[in-house]
Amino acid sequence: MTIDSLLKLAYGRLASQSDTAQIDAQLLLAHVLGVSISYFFTWPEKAVSDSASEQFDTLLARREQGEPIAYILGQQDFWTLSLETSKHTLIPRADTERLVEVALELQPNGVKRVLDLGTGTGAIALALAYEWRSADVVGIDFQAQAIALAQRNAVKNNIKNTRFLQSDWFSALADEPLFDVIVSNPPYIDPEDQHLSQGDVRFEPITALVADDHGLADIRRIIDGALVHLVGGGWLMFEHGYDQATAVRQLFSDKAFKDIATYQDLGGNDRVTVGRLA
């Protein structure tokens, strides 16, 4: 079969399963053939071998079952980086780039020390380390598999000013100097949220998604820990749920943080809330 005919069949198979059927199919076929998507527009009538067609069909079937493209391909772009992905960690998303943007806006001249709590693939830590080349950026995660993945992503992107440590939030940081900025995309979904049974999150690790107290338990714990791990005047920054901004601002206020503010994501939803330690 030709590239064009394979893609048309794939669009039909995915149309009822994905809002991004066309780009999904193109990404999967490009992965199998080892080409860029632009290749398809130049050579739509080029024949695809039987073995490549079979590989494409296998990947397509996984996508039909709802498995995220990032897990099927084993990689995801984030910021200026190409990151290896794993089912042990969340998929880096475009909305999370807003957390990186806010950090850069609030500290345009850079900082000395940064902590990323719940680093996963290392996406946030590596993006900030890329932008703040003189900073010492530490990423922590409870999962050993996530630490190994983040370390591989640092090597893959040739980012050398990062360290990754296995830790239950702040537990392994007693001997670390204070941080100028702490960032986190923690678990923040209510365990009863119906969205947990929909879309990509069905395939992501539940421990990285949900938190008690209507999704606020880990945010509360991080705010408490930040009191003894931030320098005076240092920033704490969270990604959180679209409907949690008011609650997160109150948690900041309860601990006497100042300059508390919420920022919106690409869709105009409240997504990032920050506070400065008094």
Side-chain angles (χ1 to χ4, degrees), residues 78-79 94-111 124 127-128 131-132 181-184 235-240 252 259-266 269-276:
F78 181 85
W79 202 247
D95 282 341
T96 301
E97 293 183 355
R98 186 67 179 123
L99 183 57
V100 176
E101 291 174 349
V102 170
L104 297 175
E105 289 170 9
L106 292 175
Q107 296 284 1
N109 298 319
V111 295
I124 298 168
L128 290 174
E131 297 295 339
W132 290 333
V181 171
I182 298 177
V183 295
S184 184
W235 287 98
L236 175 59
M237 310 181 185
F238 289 108
E239 175 179 337
H240 54 69
F252 271 119
D259 299 331
I260 301 165
T262 295
Y263 297 81
Q264 286 69 47
D265 62 19
L266 296 172
N269 299 305
D270 289 340
R271 186 61 60 191
V272 173
T273 294
V274 307
R276 187 196 288 265

Side-chain angles (χ1 to χ4, degrees), residues 102-176:
V102 170
L104 297 175
E105 289 170 9
L106 292 175
Q107 296 284 1
N109 298 319
V111 295
K112 292 181 179 179
R113 287 180 50 76
V114 181
L115 176 63
D116 175 26
L117 293 168
T119 197
T121 60
I124 298 168
L126 292 169
L128 290 174
Y130 177 84
E131 297 295 339
W132 290 333
R133 296 302 179 103
S134 62
D136 175 24
V137 181
V138 178
I140 70 98
D141 202 284
F142 182 72
Q143 299 290 342
Q145 299 97 325
I147 295 302
L149 176 62
Q151 290 169 337
R152 291 197 300 274
N153 279 327
V155 172
K156 178 179 180 181
N157 289 277
N158 194 33
I159 296 175
K160 299 178 180 179
N161 57 320
T162 54
R163 293 180 291 126
F164 294 100
L165 307 173
Q166 187 175 2
S167 178
D168 181 10
W169 298 129
F170 297 96
S171 64
L173 301 175
D175 296 328
E176 289 280 340

Side-chain angles (χ1 to χ4, degrees), residues 185-256:
N185 177 16
Y188 58 72
I189 299 177
D190 188 318
E192 303 301 319
D193 194 315
Q194 63 180 0
H195 294 97
L196 290 170
S197 62
Q198 303 171 7
D200 288 358
V201 296
R202 292 174 296 158
F203 293 83
E204 295 182 275
I206 194 70
T207 55
L209 292 167
V210 304
D212 293 334
D213 189 19
H214 304 290
L216 296 171
D218 287 310
I219 291 176
R220 187 189 304 275
R221 185 176 174 188
I222 290 169
I223 290 175
D224 286 343
L227 296 174
V228 295
H229 288 279
L230 269 175
V231 300
W235 287 98
L236 175 59
M237 310 181 185
F238 289 108
E239 175 179 337
H240 54 69
Y242 72 94
D243 58 351
Q244 293 175 320
T246 299
V248 175
R249 288 196 299 269
Q250 186 60 54
L251 292 175
F252 271 119
S253 181
D254 290 345
K255 297 300 180 178

Side-chain angles (χ1 to χ4, degrees), residues 40 61-62 65 67 84 209 238 258 274:
F40 301 149
R62 292 170 62 183
Q65 296 302 311
E67 186 174 352
E84 178 187 341
L209 292 167
F238 289 108
K258 60 182 181 179
V274 307

